Amino acid sequence: MRITALAGGIGGARFLRGLRRARPGDDITVIGNTGDDIWVHGVRVCPDLDSIMYTLGNAISVERDWGREDETFVVKEELAAYGVEPTWFGLGDRDLATHLVRTQSLNAGFSLSEVTAALCQRWQPGVTLLPMSDDRAETHVVVDLESGRTAIHFQEWWIRYRAAIPALGFPVIGIDDATPAPGVIEAIAEADIIVLPPSNPVVSIGVILQVPGIRAALGKARAPIVGLSPLIGAAPVRGMADACLRGIGVQTSALAVAAHYGSRRDGGILDAWLLADSDDSMLADVRALGIVCQSAPLLMHDVDATAAMAHAALALVS
Ligand code: GDP
Ligand code: CA
């Protein structure tokens, strides 16, 4: 069986660990969000690809949920001592090696897909990890600062401002000229099941969907598409997805996100939606949208619980 997943960072990575446990014999291809990518201190950082690579490679920091276990931050401190901006970006010493390898390879002319495949040689994630695109397309956030209205890089809004300044929009600069990375359209067209993990609907899944050609490929795919809610009740389980949803005028609820993705019947991307058992009062409203819907425990507190979530999601479309 070929399973294709579209994924952001933490939520995507955790879910994929459960999916891999649930479906050990299957071929899993992951289309990762690269809208979060940023040049910082001269190196190219791909936060979501790295979260997936480190999580599935058992090297993610359990305590921080991003970056490497056993990390030190000597280089970051030294850069700060020079007064070099940005000081708000967390760059660990071990993590830096990944970015140095990536940057050298990109500078030597390799594509991001090629570089990602090479990095995965070390981490053996047990899935094929594809960037959504090899082209630079970075998510920005329109905000009102004291100096006036401006667009700042998503990372600056998320990390430096903790998503506390209201977002007025999320333009992805460069997306119109981006093309899907090699293998992305094939992975969608040839999949037996397509999964949307509980990733951020706006700045993770929402950005992947904006790569020209990807949404159309999902519309035409012969595989059913099933998504899992990143929200339980009126809040994201982790992080600040509510601030992103507010920025695009979507309510923070599993029902509103399902409606935002839409039923494939009506040109949307969902055949089925799994929401949290505590949200089962929304089942009928989601079904009324033309989306198959069930509820299940959706807290990814360990790999077994996450594997059970993956089973429940796949069962909706098998
Ligand atoms: P990011 O790129 O690191 O922000 O990660 P993703 O976009 O892949 O996932 C972020 C989303 O994961 C957030 O909106 C969280 O609500 C969601 N999330 C994190 N942990 C859990 C969990 O245990 N269960 C569910 N259902 N969602 C989760
Ligand atoms: Ca991300």
Side-chain angles (χ1 to χ4, degrees):
M1 182 92 96
R2 287 196 62 171
I3 302 177
T4 296
L6 275 52
I10 296 170
R14 284 195 171 216
F15 175 77
L16 290 166
R17 206 165 38 179
L19 178 65
R20 204 181 46 180
R21 164 83 54 96
R23 306 293 288 236
D26 288 348
D27 254 341
I28 302 173
T29 300
V30 180
I31 300 168
N33 171 42
T34 54
D36 287 12
D37 294 8
I38 187 167
W39 282 99
V40 61
H41 301 301
V43 293
R44 188 69 174 158
V45 182
C46 301
D48 288 1
L49 296 181
D50 289 349
S51 287
I52 292 171
M53 203 166 72
Y54 293 156
T55 300
L56 296 181
N58 299 316
I60 195 89
S61 161
V62 176
E63 179 198 336
R64 265 181 285 115
D65 246 349
W66 57 269
R68 297 278 307 280
E69 194 69 300
D70 296 323
E71 188 57 288
T72 51
F73 290 88
V74 177
V75 172
K76 182 182 191 303
E77 286 158 24
E78 288 295 318
L79 287 165
Y82 279 112
V84 181
E85 292 294 338
T87 47
W88 45 263
F89 196 83
L91 202 59
D93 300 327
R94 290 182 190 281
D95 196 25
L96 181 60
T98 303
H99 311 320
L100 287 169
V101 173
R102 174 184 292 124
T103 304
Q104 282 178 337
S105 305
L106 290 172
N107 286 343
F110 291 99
S111 67
L112 181 61
S113 316
E114 291 168 325
V115 175
T116 304
L119 293 170
C120 285
Q121 286 288 322
R122 174 175 176 198
W123 298 109
Q124 294 291 313
V127 301
T128 302
L129 177 59
L130 305 176
M132 65 186 197
S133 176
D134 283 339
D135 302 314
R136 186 173 174 181
E138 295 177 12
T139 306
H140 284 63
V141 187
V142 179
V143 289
D144 281 330
L145 298 180
E146 266 169 30
S147 49
R149 183 157 297 186
T150 184
I152 58 177
H153 194 285
F154 170 73
Q155 297 293 348
E156 184 171 6
W157 181 69
W158 192 254
I159 300 172
R160 182 178 182 190
Y161 294 109
R162 307 289 306 155
I165 318 176
L168 305 171
F170 295 92
V172 185
I173 295 175
I175 198 81
D176 293 343
D177 299 319
T179 54
V184 165
I185 297 298
E186 292 80 355
I188 293 171
E190 292 162 16
D192 298 304
I193 297 184
I194 298 170
V195 190
L196 309 182
S199 285
N200 188 309
V202 184
V203 295
S204 294
I205 306 276
V207 170
I208 300 173
L209 294 175
Q210 286 179 59
V211 177
I214 290 191
R215 186 181 265 279
L218 290 170
K220 281 190 302 202
R222 62 179 172 80
I225 306 178
V226 57
L228 295 94
S229 176
L231 310 174
I232 299 183
V237 179
R238 281 186 192 81
M240 303 160 289
D242 47 338
C244 301
L245 287 164
R246 232 175 283 127
I248 61 162
V250 173
Q251 277 195 335
T252 303
S253 81
L255 168 61
V257 172
H260 171 66
Y261 283 148
S263 163
R264 273 226 279 183
R265 186 190 70 184
D266 303 324
I269 55 164
L270 287 181
D271 293 299
W273 185 239
L274 191 66
L275 46 72
D277 41 12
S278 51
D279 284 333
D280 59 5
S281 61
M282 300 174 189
L283 286 171
D285 285 343
V286 177
R287 288 173 185 153
L289 297 168
I291 298 168
V292 173
C293 191
Q294 279 299 348
S295 62
L298 286 196
L299 276 178
M300 301 190 280
H301 45 70
D302 59 34
V303 185
D304 285 336
T306 313
M309 266 167 67
H311 269 303
L314 299 185
L316 280 188
V317 290
S318 321

